[in-house]
Protein backbone atom coordinates (compact mmCIF):
# COMPACT_ATOMS: atom_id res chain seq x y z
CA UNK A 1 0.00 0.00 0.00
CA UNK A 2 1.14 3.49 -0.86
CA UNK A 3 1.38 6.16 1.83
CA UNK A 4 -0.47 9.40 1.11
CA UNK A 5 0.39 11.04 4.44
CA UNK A 6 3.41 10.19 6.52
CA UNK A 7 3.93 12.05 9.80
CA UNK A 8 7.12 11.57 11.83
CA UNK A 9 7.90 12.74 15.36
CA UNK A 10 5.69 15.81 15.09
CA UNK A 11 5.70 18.40 17.88
CA UNK A 12 3.72 21.58 18.28
CA UNK A 13 3.10 23.87 21.26
CA UNK A 14 0.93 27.00 20.93
CA UNK A 15 2.66 30.25 21.94
CA UNK A 16 2.36 30.68 25.73
CA UNK A 17 0.83 27.20 26.23
CA UNK A 18 2.22 25.08 29.07
CA UNK A 19 1.73 21.72 27.38
CA UNK A 20 2.36 20.64 23.81
CA UNK A 21 -0.81 20.29 21.69
CA UNK A 22 0.93 17.67 19.54
CA UNK A 23 3.49 15.54 21.33
CA UNK A 24 5.94 13.46 19.30
CA UNK A 25 3.22 12.10 17.04
CA UNK A 26 3.91 9.71 14.16
CA UNK A 27 1.21 8.42 11.81
CA UNK A 28 1.02 6.89 8.34
CA UNK A 29 -2.15 7.06 6.26
CA UNK A 30 -2.49 5.02 3.08
CA UNK A 31 -4.07 5.89 -0.25
CA UNK A 32 -7.82 5.29 -0.39
CA UNK A 33 -7.96 4.56 3.33
CA UNK A 34 -10.69 5.97 5.60
CA UNK A 35 -9.15 6.75 8.97
CA UNK A 36 -11.13 8.12 11.91
CA UNK A 37 -9.24 10.23 14.40
CA UNK A 38 -11.04 10.27 17.74
CA UNK A 39 -10.21 12.00 21.00
CA UNK A 40 -11.83 14.14 23.67
CA UNK A 41 -12.05 17.95 23.53
CA UNK A 42 -8.60 19.51 23.52
CA UNK A 43 -6.77 16.29 22.63
CA UNK A 44 -5.12 17.87 19.58
CA UNK A 45 -7.29 16.76 16.64
CA UNK A 46 -7.82 20.18 15.05
CA UNK A 47 -4.21 21.15 15.67
CA UNK A 48 -3.15 18.04 13.75
CA UNK A 49 -5.45 19.06 10.87
CA UNK A 50 -3.92 22.55 10.82
CA UNK A 51 -0.41 21.09 10.75
CA UNK A 52 -1.27 18.72 7.89
CA UNK A 53 -2.76 21.61 5.90
CA UNK A 54 0.24 23.82 6.65
CA UNK A 55 -1.83 26.48 8.42
CA UNK A 56 0.60 26.27 11.32
CA UNK A 57 4.20 25.12 11.25
CA UNK A 58 5.52 22.28 13.40
CA UNK A 59 8.35 22.94 15.84
CA UNK A 60 9.98 19.68 14.88
CA UNK A 61 9.19 16.56 12.94
CA UNK A 62 8.04 16.12 9.35
CA UNK A 63 4.85 15.66 7.36
CA UNK A 64 5.04 14.12 3.91
CA UNK A 65 2.03 14.49 1.60
CA UNK A 66 2.00 12.19 -1.41
CA UNK A 67 5.70 11.47 -0.97
CA UNK A 68 6.87 15.07 -0.49
CA UNK A 69 7.93 16.46 2.87
CA UNK A 70 6.09 19.74 3.18
CA UNK A 71 8.02 22.98 3.61
CA UNK A 72 7.46 26.68 2.92
CA UNK A 73 8.16 26.27 -0.78
CA UNK A 74 5.84 23.38 -1.61
CA UNK A 75 3.03 23.86 0.91
CA UNK A 76 0.74 25.52 -1.67
CA UNK A 77 1.09 22.59 -4.01
CA UNK A 78 0.56 20.10 -1.16
CA UNK A 79 -2.53 22.01 -0.08
CA UNK A 80 -4.20 21.54 -3.49
CA UNK A 81 -4.25 17.81 -2.69
CA UNK A 82 -6.22 18.34 0.53
CA UNK A 83 -9.81 19.47 1.06
CA UNK A 84 -11.14 20.25 4.51
CA UNK A 85 -14.79 20.19 5.59
CA UNK A 86 -15.30 21.93 8.91
CA UNK A 87 -17.85 21.49 11.66
CA UNK A 88 -20.04 24.48 10.94
CA UNK A 89 -20.69 25.00 7.24
CA UNK A 90 -22.11 28.50 7.88
CA UNK A 91 -18.59 29.68 8.46
CA UNK A 92 -17.49 28.41 5.06
CA UNK A 93 -20.28 29.88 2.93
CA UNK A 94 -19.32 32.97 0.99
CA UNK A 95 -21.52 32.85 -2.11
CA UNK A 96 -25.07 34.17 -2.60
CA UNK A 97 -26.14 30.90 -4.22
CA UNK A 98 -25.16 27.28 -3.77
CA UNK A 99 -23.41 27.21 -7.17
CA UNK A 100 -21.44 30.41 -6.44
CA UNK A 101 -20.34 28.85 -3.27
CA UNK A 102 -19.10 25.65 -4.83
CA UNK A 103 -17.33 27.76 -7.49
CA UNK A 104 -15.43 29.74 -4.90
CA UNK A 105 -12.61 27.24 -4.42
CA UNK A 106 -12.19 26.99 -8.19
CA UNK A 107 -12.04 30.76 -8.68
CA UNK A 108 -9.02 30.72 -6.42
CA UNK A 109 -7.39 28.20 -8.76
CA UNK A 110 -7.90 30.46 -11.80
CA UNK A 111 -9.98 28.00 -13.83
CA UNK A 112 -11.72 29.39 -16.98
CA UNK A 113 -15.43 30.26 -16.62
CA UNK A 114 -16.97 27.56 -18.88
CA UNK A 115 -14.89 24.78 -17.32
CA UNK A 116 -15.84 26.08 -13.92
CA UNK A 117 -19.58 25.83 -14.66
CA UNK A 118 -19.20 22.19 -15.73
CA UNK A 119 -17.13 21.29 -12.68
CA UNK A 120 -19.54 22.96 -10.28
CA UNK A 121 -22.44 21.05 -11.87
CA UNK A 122 -20.52 17.79 -11.60
CA UNK A 123 -19.66 18.33 -7.95
CA UNK A 124 -23.28 19.19 -7.08
CA UNK A 125 -24.46 16.09 -8.91
CA UNK A 126 -22.07 13.91 -6.88
CA UNK A 127 -23.62 15.12 -3.63
CA UNK A 128 -27.15 15.05 -5.09
CA UNK A 129 -27.70 18.80 -4.66
CA UNK A 130 -28.13 19.85 -8.32
CA UNK A 131 -31.74 20.93 -7.77
CA UNK A 132 -30.60 23.42 -5.15
CA UNK A 133 -27.97 25.26 -7.16
CA UNK A 134 -29.83 28.60 -7.34
CA UNK A 135 -30.75 28.54 -3.65
CA UNK A 136 -29.27 30.73 -0.94
CA UNK A 137 -26.98 28.40 1.07
CA UNK A 138 -28.34 29.88 4.31
CA UNK A 139 -31.81 28.53 3.43
CA UNK A 140 -30.64 24.90 3.45
CA UNK A 141 -30.88 22.32 6.23
CA UNK A 142 -27.75 21.34 8.15
CA UNK A 143 -27.30 18.12 6.20
CA UNK A 144 -27.81 19.88 2.86
CA UNK A 145 -25.28 22.54 3.86
CA UNK A 146 -22.72 19.87 4.69
CA UNK A 147 -23.33 18.25 1.29
CA UNK A 148 -22.73 21.61 -0.42
CA UNK A 149 -19.56 22.08 1.64
CA UNK A 150 -18.41 18.64 0.46
CA UNK A 151 -19.22 19.60 -3.15
CA UNK A 152 -17.06 22.71 -2.74
CA UNK A 153 -14.21 20.53 -1.60
CA UNK A 154 -14.79 17.89 -4.32
CA UNK A 155 -14.79 20.55 -7.06
CA UNK A 156 -11.15 21.30 -6.28
CA UNK A 157 -10.34 17.60 -6.97
CA UNK A 158 -8.42 16.80 -3.79
CA UNK A 159 -6.83 13.41 -3.10
CA UNK A 160 -7.45 13.71 0.62
CA UNK A 161 -10.56 14.95 2.41
CA UNK A 162 -10.33 15.84 6.07
CA UNK A 163 -13.66 16.16 7.88
CA UNK A 164 -13.18 17.96 11.19
CA UNK A 165 -16.34 17.22 13.21
CA UNK A 166 -18.28 17.71 9.95
CA UNK A 167 -21.30 15.71 11.01
CA UNK A 168 -21.48 16.61 14.69
CA UNK A 169 -24.28 19.14 14.15
CA UNK A 170 -26.47 16.76 12.14
CA UNK A 171 -29.24 14.48 13.37
CA UNK A 172 -28.70 10.70 13.06
CA UNK A 173 -30.36 10.55 9.62
CA UNK A 174 -28.42 13.51 8.24
CA UNK A 175 -25.22 12.07 9.65
CA UNK A 176 -25.83 8.67 8.09
CA UNK A 177 -26.59 10.28 4.70
CA UNK A 178 -23.39 12.33 4.74
CA UNK A 179 -21.20 9.44 5.95
CA UNK A 180 -22.67 7.05 3.35
CA UNK A 181 -22.06 9.67 0.68
CA UNK A 182 -18.45 10.04 1.81
CA UNK A 183 -18.01 6.26 1.65
CA UNK A 184 -19.40 6.15 -1.90
CA UNK A 185 -17.20 9.05 -3.02
CA UNK A 186 -14.13 7.45 -1.45
CA UNK A 187 -14.71 4.33 -3.50
CA UNK A 188 -15.66 6.06 -6.77
CA UNK A 189 -13.11 8.88 -6.71
CA UNK A 190 -10.25 6.99 -5.07
CA UNK A 191 -10.16 9.48 -2.20
CA UNK A 192 -8.44 9.17 1.15
CA UNK A 193 -10.70 10.19 4.03
CA UNK A 194 -9.69 11.41 7.47
CA UNK A 195 -12.70 12.00 9.68
CA UNK A 196 -12.24 13.64 13.03
CA UNK A 197 -14.77 13.22 15.79
CA UNK A 198 -15.12 12.86 19.52
CA UNK A 199 -18.04 10.49 19.00
CA UNK A 200 -16.98 6.86 18.66
CA UNK A 201 -20.37 5.98 17.11
CA UNK A 202 -19.48 7.97 14.00
CA UNK A 203 -16.56 5.76 13.06
CA UNK A 204 -18.30 2.61 11.89
CA UNK A 205 -17.74 3.11 8.16
CA UNK A 206 -14.03 3.81 8.54
CA UNK A 207 -11.36 1.14 8.18
CA UNK A 208 -9.14 2.27 10.99
CA UNK A 209 -9.49 4.29 14.18
CA UNK A 210 -6.68 6.32 15.68
CA UNK A 211 -7.28 7.48 19.26
CA UNK A 212 -5.46 10.64 20.27
CA UNK A 213 -5.04 11.88 23.82
CA UNK A 214 -2.91 14.81 25.03
CA UNK A 215 -1.44 15.18 21.56
CA UNK A 216 -0.28 11.56 21.43
CA UNK A 217 -1.60 8.48 19.65
CA UNK A 218 -2.75 6.06 22.32
CA UNK A 219 -4.56 3.45 20.16
CA UNK A 220 -4.52 2.57 16.47
CA UNK A 221 -6.55 -0.34 15.13
CA UNK A 222 -9.52 -1.69 13.23
CA UNK A 223 -12.90 -0.40 14.47
CA UNK A 224 -13.81 -3.73 16.14
CA UNK A 225 -10.47 -3.74 17.99
CA UNK A 226 -11.09 -0.22 19.28
CA UNK A 227 -14.76 -0.91 20.17
CA UNK A 228 -13.63 -4.02 22.07
CA UNK A 229 -11.75 -1.72 24.45
CA UNK A 230 -15.23 -0.99 25.84
CA UNK A 231 -15.11 0.93 29.12
CA UNK A 232 -11.32 1.30 28.77
CA UNK A 233 -12.13 4.01 26.22
CA UNK A 234 -13.17 6.21 29.16
CA UNK A 235 -9.49 6.61 30.07
CA UNK A 236 -9.22 8.72 26.94
CA UNK A 237 -12.39 10.66 27.66
CA UNK A 238 -14.46 8.65 25.17
CA UNK A 239 -17.83 6.97 25.60
CA UNK A 240 -17.91 3.27 24.86
CA UNK A 241 -20.12 2.30 21.92
CA UNK A 242 -23.85 2.10 22.69
CA UNK A 243 -24.11 -1.61 21.84
CA UNK A 244 -21.25 -2.42 24.28
CA UNK A 245 -23.09 -0.66 27.07
CA UNK A 246 -26.30 -2.48 26.24
CA UNK A 247 -24.51 -5.84 26.06
CA UNK A 248 -22.83 -5.32 29.42
CA UNK A 249 -26.21 -4.45 30.94
CA UNK A 250 -27.91 -7.49 29.40
CA UNK A 251 -24.84 -9.72 29.40
CA UNK A 252 -25.41 -11.42 32.72
CA UNK A 253 -29.01 -12.29 31.96
CA UNK A 254 -28.64 -13.32 28.33
CA UNK A 255 -26.06 -15.45 26.58
CA UNK A 256 -24.58 -13.15 23.94
CA UNK A 257 -21.44 -13.88 21.90
CA UNK A 258 -18.12 -12.35 23.02
CA UNK A 259 -16.73 -9.30 21.24
CA UNK A 260 -18.12 -6.21 19.59
CA UNK A 261 -21.49 -6.34 17.83
CA UNK A 262 -22.82 -3.47 15.76
CA UNK A 263 -26.46 -2.43 16.08
CA UNK A 264 -27.63 -4.75 13.31
CA UNK A 265 -25.73 -7.76 14.69
CA UNK A 266 -27.00 -7.11 18.19
CA UNK A 267 -30.56 -6.85 16.87
CA UNK A 268 -30.20 -10.23 15.15
CA UNK A 269 -28.78 -11.86 18.29
CA UNK A 270 -31.66 -10.50 20.35
CA UNK A 271 -34.20 -11.80 17.82
CA UNK A 272 -32.55 -15.19 17.89
CA UNK A 273 -32.81 -15.29 21.69
CA UNK A 274 -36.36 -14.02 21.52
CA UNK A 275 -37.42 -16.82 19.16
CA UNK A 276 -36.10 -19.60 21.44
CA UNK A 277 -37.60 -18.12 24.59
N1 LIG B 1 -5.11 29.07 19.13
C1 LIG B 1 -4.75 28.44 20.23
N2 LIG B 1 -3.92 29.02 21.16
C2 LIG B 1 -3.54 28.38 22.27
N3 LIG B 1 -3.89 27.11 22.57
C3 LIG B 1 -4.68 26.48 21.70
C4 LIG B 1 -5.17 27.09 20.49
N4 LIG B 1 -5.93 26.20 19.83
C5 LIG B 1 -5.95 25.10 20.58
N5 LIG B 1 -5.20 25.24 21.70
C6 LIG B 1 -4.97 24.22 22.75
O1 LIG B 1 -4.32 23.11 22.15
C7 LIG B 1 -4.87 21.88 22.65
C8 LIG B 1 -5.42 21.06 21.48
O2 LIG B 1 -6.53 21.76 20.91
P1 LIG B 1 -7.30 21.26 19.62
O3 LIG B 1 -8.15 22.37 19.16
O4 LIG B 1 -6.33 20.70 18.66
O5 LIG B 1 -8.19 20.09 20.24
P2 LIG B 1 -9.33 19.20 19.57
O6 LIG B 1 -8.95 17.80 19.81
O7 LIG B 1 -9.58 19.65 18.19
O8 LIG B 1 -10.58 19.55 20.51
P3 LIG B 1 -12.16 19.67 20.14
O9 LIG B 1 -12.71 18.27 20.22
O10 LIG B 1 -12.68 20.50 21.29
O11 LIG B 1 -12.31 20.31 18.81
C9 LIG B 1 -5.90 22.28 23.69
O12 LIG B 1 -5.30 22.21 24.94
C10 LIG B 1 -6.25 23.70 23.32
O13 LIG B 1 -6.63 24.44 24.46
MG1 LIG C 1 -11.28 20.44 17.17
Amino acid sequence: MEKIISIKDLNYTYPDAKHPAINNLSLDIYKNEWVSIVGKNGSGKSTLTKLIDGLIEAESGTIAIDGQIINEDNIWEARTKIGIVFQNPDHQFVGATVEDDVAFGLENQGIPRDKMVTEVDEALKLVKMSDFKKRDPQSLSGGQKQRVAIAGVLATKPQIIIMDESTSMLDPDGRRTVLNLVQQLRQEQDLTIISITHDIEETELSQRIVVINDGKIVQDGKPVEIYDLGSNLRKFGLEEPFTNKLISTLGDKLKLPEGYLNEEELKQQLWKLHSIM
Side-chain angles (χ1 to χ4, degrees), residues 14 21 40-47 165 198:
Y14 285 99
K40 64 174 188 237
N41 291 135
S43 55
K45 306 179 297 294
S46 294
T47 306
E165 308 267 2
H198 53 255

Side-chain angles (χ1 to χ4, degrees), residues 10-194:
L10 201 67
N11 285 287
Y12 183 82
T13 306
Y14 285 99
D16 303 327
K18 281 203 198 85
H19 303 286
I22 294 296
N23 191 349
N24 222 29
L25 184 146
S26 298
L27 176 66
D28 287 330
I29 292 174
Y30 296 89
K31 273 194 182 153
N32 201 222
E33 210 181 5
W34 181 343
V35 179
S36 296
I37 297 182
V38 300
K40 64 174 188 237
N41 291 135
S43 55
K45 306 179 297 294
S46 294
T47 306
L48 183 61
T49 309
K50 287 190 262 181
L51 287 161
I52 292 173
D53 202 37
L55 297 170
I56 52 178
E57 203 185 329
E59 261 151 51
S60 62
T62 57
I63 301 174
I65 310 276
D66 204 15
Q68 276 216 314
I69 291 182
I70 55 173
N71 57 37
E72 267 174 45
D73 298 326
N74 64 18
I75 181 60
W76 287 99
E77 193 208 325
R79 212 178 263 170
T80 63
K81 298 178 179 165
I82 305 172
I84 304 188
V85 184
F86 294 95
Q87 173 173 35
N88 187 344
D90 292 342
H91 297 156
Q92 323 182 44
F93 287 142
V94 284
T97 63
V98 162
E99 60 181 352
D100 284 354
D101 218 277
V102 174
F104 182 72
L106 293 176
E107 276 165 17
N108 286 343
Q109 290 186 358
I111 287 170
R113 176 92 208 154
D114 52 338
K115 190 153 180 259
M116 200 154 87
V117 172
T118 330
E119 292 192 355
V120 167
D121 283 350
E122 264 171 34
L124 284 172
K125 208 164 125 197
L126 284 174
V127 301
K128 301 187 179 70
M129 286 296 287
S130 305
D131 294 347
F132 296 81
K133 68 180 187 184
K134 300 288 176 200
R135 284 269 293 268
D136 174 356
Q138 303 305 338
S139 73
L140 303 176
S141 77
Q144 291 167 339
K145 282 178 185 170
Q146 266 326 4
R147 274 148 65 192
V148 172
I150 292 170
V153 161
L154 285 174
T156 66
K157 304 264 189 316
Q159 298 181 29
I160 305 161
I161 293 186
I162 305 180
M163 312 206 339
D164 190 351
E165 308 267 2
S166 308
T167 53
S168 59
M169 288 166 73
L170 305 182
D171 64 25
D173 266 354
R175 182 172 303 156
R176 211 166 296 131
T177 308
V178 170
L179 293 174
N180 283 330
L181 168 70
V182 167
Q183 176 73 302
Q184 188 196 336
L185 294 170
R186 181 183 74 80
Q187 289 161 347
E188 290 173 2
Q189 318 275 315
D190 206 25
L191 292 164
T192 303
I193 308 291
I194 302 174

